[in-house]
Amino acid sequence: MSNTVTNERLISLDVLRGFVMFWIMSGEHIFHALAKAAPIPVFVWMSSQLHHTDWDGITFYDMIFPIFLFVAGVSMPYSFEKKMNSAGVKTPMELPSKEKQKIYLSMFKRTCILLFLGCVVNGLLRFDGYDQTRFASVLGRIGLAWFFAGLIYLNFDLRKQLYWFIGILFGYYLVLKLVPVPNFGAGILTPEGSFSSYIDQQFLPGRLHSKVYDPEGLFSTIPAIATALLGMFLGTFLKGKNIFSANEKILIMLASALILIGIGALWHYDFPINKRLWTSSFVCFVGGFSILFFTFFYLIIDVLGFHKWAFPLLLIGSNSILIYMASEGLVNFKHTADFVFGGAISFLPLIWQPVFAAVSVTFIQLVLLYFLYKRKWFLKI
């Protein structure tokens, strides 16, 4: 194992982004079909992990969104590096005010675009009316959490950034546990009675995802900022002065991951791990697993240099927002896959046809992504 990583751009970031996006775009359907065609324990277990929990608890599928947001946080110190180099400063706090204003405007535009695209994914352009339009979205939460984490990154040193992180987690915990909700009281962490659900009911415009709450609602976006900050801390650590070897960095990341998982697991007994409320225990628990997943890809790809195997994931990660929007409804990949492969698949045993149909969808998606990658066409926001 080499002691330094020479890649200025971490390939593992795009690969990890592609890994989590794979399950959303079509991977889940492959394993659901496999669990029915060949119900051996490993396939059944994997299929069970590709569903959201009903409320409290955690599955792998619950981790996909926060890992994606975590990766956006890791990218932040890298994305601001050129601006710091051109300004001749070592920290973002030292950037001239004019340069910061340009960055703020760029960040604001990016957030607005993500908010709009999130509404498009929700069906905004169907024009079903204000009451039937859902304004909260996955992309919108990514934009908002990234924006506010970016403001913290640009205006506070690392010690104060940590204060923000801790303050957000404990502040959110105290509000949900202590602030009474009309007709329910304080500390009621149910879909109807939580303070986060109450804020969604009172102030979130349009249609809520689940009638009495929205998993990407207003108040629960606040702890999502902490998820982005956690990624930002990791990015800052990796880009810091080269006082640690690659081996030491990996050990530090593993230790940090285990500590966060332990904190989340213990906190769960008082403040349950819950994706829809994005509880503080959820931030810690999934944050630890996010570091573990990143450490695996970082070790294999950026340190050991084994990256050819991950090329399909790199294709997905390089155009992750585009393939997310396309697979969420903008492009009917299933129709195309049936048109190309449906005839051949019909000759297979009936129980295996859904498996190969799902695989064919993934193949069509990868062909599109390869075409875009070779022409260097990327949706950059």
Side-chain angles (χ1 to χ4, degrees), residues 156-377:
F156 298 94
D157 60 28
L158 182 58
R159 180 170 57 87
K160 291 180 180 177
Q161 291 167 16
L162 287 167
Y163 290 160
W164 270 102
F165 175 77
I166 295 170
I168 288 171
L169 293 186
F170 276 98
Y172 187 69
Y173 164 75
L174 291 173
V175 169
L176 261 64
K177 295 288 283 188
L178 301 178
V179 177
V181 173
N183 302 320
F184 288 95
I188 306 300
L189 304 180
T190 63
E192 303 85 0
S194 75
F195 183 81
S196 181
S197 301
Y198 174 74
I199 293 297
D200 290 345
Q201 295 162 17
Q202 299 300 313
F203 301 105
L204 187 60
R207 176 179 63 85
L208 301 182
H209 179 276
S210 300
K211 294 184 180 180
V212 295
Y213 75 94
D214 197 294
E216 282 78 49
L218 293 172
F219 198 69
S220 58
T221 295
I222 294 174
I225 298 170
T227 298
L229 284 173
L230 196 55
M232 185 196 71
F233 295 148
L234 181 60
T236 301
F237 169 70
L238 292 173
K239 283 206 64 63
K241 293 181 180 179
N242 193 23
I243 60 175
F244 299 110
S245 68
N247 291 347
E248 291 169 335
K249 286 182 177 179
I250 289 167
L251 288 175
I252 291 170
M253 288 190 287
L254 288 175
S256 301
L258 294 175
I259 290 170
L260 282 168
I261 292 171
I263 292 172
L266 289 173
W267 209 345
H268 169 74
Y269 291 100
D270 183 50
F271 196 33
I273 294 171
N274 186 303
K275 175 192 177 293
R276 289 163 179 80
L277 292 176
W278 212 282
T279 53
S280 304
S281 56
F282 175 79
V283 172
C284 294
F285 191 83
V286 179
F289 273 98
S290 299
I291 295 173
L292 284 182
F293 279 114
F294 172 78
T295 303
F296 170 79
F297 288 111
Y298 176 77
L299 171 62
I300 300 298
I301 295 171
D302 289 310
V303 177
L304 297 178
F306 299 122
H307 54 81
K308 291 184 179 179
W309 65 275
F311 183 63
L313 299 179
L314 180 64
L315 293 178
I316 301 169
S318 299
N319 247 324
S320 55
I321 293 179
L322 177 66
I323 195 61
Y324 170 76
M325 295 185 63
S327 61
E328 285 294 299
L330 292 185
V331 178
N332 193 335
F333 290 109
K334 186 177 185 303
H335 176 80
T336 304
D338 287 344
F339 183 83
V340 177
F341 298 106
I345 291 174
S346 66
F347 290 101
L348 298 172
L350 190 62
I351 195 171
W352 284 97
Q353 287 181 21
V355 177
F356 285 91
V359 171
S360 69
V361 170
T362 302
F363 180 80
I364 293 297
Q365 291 169 327
L366 289 174
V367 168
L368 170 63
L369 289 167
Y370 180 76
F371 175 83
L372 298 174
Y373 184 85
K374 293 299 287 185
R375 283 155 183 78
K376 303 186 187 305
W377 293 349

Side-chain angles (χ1 to χ4, degrees), residues 8-9 13 71-96 98-111 143 145-156 161 228-229 231-233 235-236 239 381:
E8 194 59 32
R9 176 180 177 83
L13 276 183
V71 170
V74 178
S75 302
M76 193 179 300
Y78 292 87
S79 64
F80 289 135
E81 182 186 25
K82 288 184 179 180
K83 294 179 176 63
M84 289 188 290
N85 289 340
S86 62
V89 298
K90 295 182 178 180
T91 67
M93 289 181 60
E94 298 173 317
L95 285 167
K98 288 186 178 180
E99 186 63 34
K100 278 191 178 182
Q101 289 173 6
K102 292 179 182 178
I103 296 173
Y104 294 153
L105 180 60
S106 175
M107 291 168 59
F108 180 73
K109 288 180 178 178
R110 182 178 190 266
T111 299
W146 179 88
F147 176 79
F148 287 107
L151 292 181
I152 294 170
Y153 178 75
L154 288 169
N155 291 284
F156 298 94
Q161 291 167 16
L229 284 173
M232 185 196 71
F233 295 148
T236 301
K239 283 206 64 63
I381 300 173

Side-chain angles (χ1 to χ4, degrees), residues 5-81:
V5 178
T6 58
N7 306 56
E8 194 59 32
R9 176 180 177 83
L10 293 176
I11 301 174
S12 53
L13 276 183
D14 283 330
V15 172
L16 177 55
R17 191 183 290 114
F19 171 74
V20 295
M21 188 56 63
F22 163 73
W23 303 104
I24 296 175
M25 74 182 206
S26 57
E28 60 178 301
H29 302 298
I30 295 174
F31 283 92
H32 291 325
L34 272 173
K36 293 180 180 179
I40 61 176
V42 64
F43 291 156
V44 172
W45 176 80
M46 291 183 72
S47 176
S48 71
Q49 287 296 306
L50 293 171
H51 293 284
H52 288 303
T53 52
D54 291 333
W55 189 245
D56 292 338
I58 190 78
T59 63
F60 171 73
Y61 208 63
D62 292 324
M63 297 186 187
I64 290 175
F65 180 13
I67 291 175
F68 194 89
L69 180 54
F70 171 86
V71 170
V74 178
S75 302
M76 193 179 300
Y78 292 87
S79 64
F80 289 135
E81 182 186 25

Side-chain angles (χ1 to χ4, degrees), residues 120-132:
V120 171
V121 170
N122 289 345
L124 175 68
L125 301 183
R126 288 200 300 261
F127 302 111
D128 291 334
Y130 177 84
D131 291 340
Q132 295 302 314

